[in-house]
Amino acid sequence: EVQLVESGGGLVQPGGSLTLSCTASAFASANYVVGWYRQAPGKEREAVSCISSSDDSRYLSDFVKGRFSISNDNAKKIVFLHMNTLKPEDTAVYYCAAVIGTTSCNMAFYYGFDNWGKGTLVSVSS
C-alpha cells in the first residue's frame, strides 16, 4: 500500500489557476501510474488526467484538454496537476490515485487504482 498526500486545493475565481500536488515515496524508485479524479457534489467520480512513469505517456479528459496538464518530478516524488482557465464546473474534490508497477494509464483505468489520497477541494466561484 502506498501513502498518497494531496495538496494545493483552494478557492479561485473563474479563469484562475491552481496546481495540485500528489506525493509518494514510491514515485522515486518504481514504475507507477498516477491518475487524478474529481467528484462534484451529487455527481459520479470522473477521471481527469493520468501519467505513466515508464514512458511518460499522459492522458487528459476532453473536458480539460487545453486547460489542464499533468507533470511529475520523480526526484522530488511528486505528480502535479496544473489547472488553468478554471471554470465553475471544475469545482470538485480532486483525488490522487496510484498503481505501482503498472506501465500504462489504460491498464490502470481498466484494472482500477488501488491507492487513493483523501482528496483536496477546488472551488471555482465569482
mmCIF file of all heavy atoms in Angstrom, residues 41 83 93 121:
data_model
loop_
_atom_site.group_PDB
_atom_site.id
_atom_site.type_symbol
_atom_site.label_atom_id
_atom_site.label_comp_id
_atom_site.label_asym_id
_atom_site.label_seq_id
_atom_site.Cartn_x
_atom_site.Cartn_y
_atom_site.Cartn_z
ATOM 1 N N PRO A 41 -20.341 17.561 -5.916
ATOM 2 C CA PRO A 41 -21.494 17.145 -5.121
ATOM 3 C C PRO A 41 -22.624 16.589 -5.981
ATOM 4 O O PRO A 41 -23.014 17.203 -6.978
ATOM 5 C CB PRO A 41 -21.925 18.436 -4.422
ATOM 6 C CG PRO A 41 -20.674 19.254 -4.353
ATOM 7 C CD PRO A 41 -19.939 18.945 -5.624
ATOM 8 N N MET A 83 -3.794 23.334 -13.359
ATOM 9 C CA MET A 83 -5.138 23.695 -13.779
ATOM 10 C C MET A 83 -5.173 25.180 -14.111
ATOM 11 O O MET A 83 -4.924 26.019 -13.246
ATOM 12 C CB MET A 83 -6.151 23.369 -12.684
ATOM 13 C CG MET A 83 -6.118 21.913 -12.234
ATOM 14 S SD MET A 83 -7.407 21.536 -11.020
ATOM 15 C CE MET A 83 -6.849 22.558 -9.656
ATOM 16 N N VAL A 93 -14.045 17.888 -5.392
ATOM 17 C CA VAL A 93 -12.941 17.334 -4.630
ATOM 18 C C VAL A 93 -12.072 16.549 -5.601
ATOM 19 O O VAL A 93 -12.564 15.686 -6.330
ATOM 20 C CB VAL A 93 -13.422 16.429 -3.483
ATOM 21 C CG1 VAL A 93 -12.233 15.791 -2.769
ATOM 22 C CG2 VAL A 93 -14.252 17.236 -2.495
ATOM 23 N N LEU A 121 -10.076 19.952 -1.971
ATOM 24 C CA LEU A 121 -11.212 20.664 -2.547
ATOM 25 C C LEU A 121 -10.745 21.823 -3.412
ATOM 26 O O LEU A 121 -9.945 22.659 -2.985
ATOM 27 C CB LEU A 121 -12.131 21.180 -1.436
ATOM 28 C CG LEU A 121 -13.331 22.017 -1.872
ATOM 29 C CD1 LEU A 121 -14.279 21.186 -2.731
ATOM 30 C CD2 LEU A 121 -14.055 22.572 -0.656
#
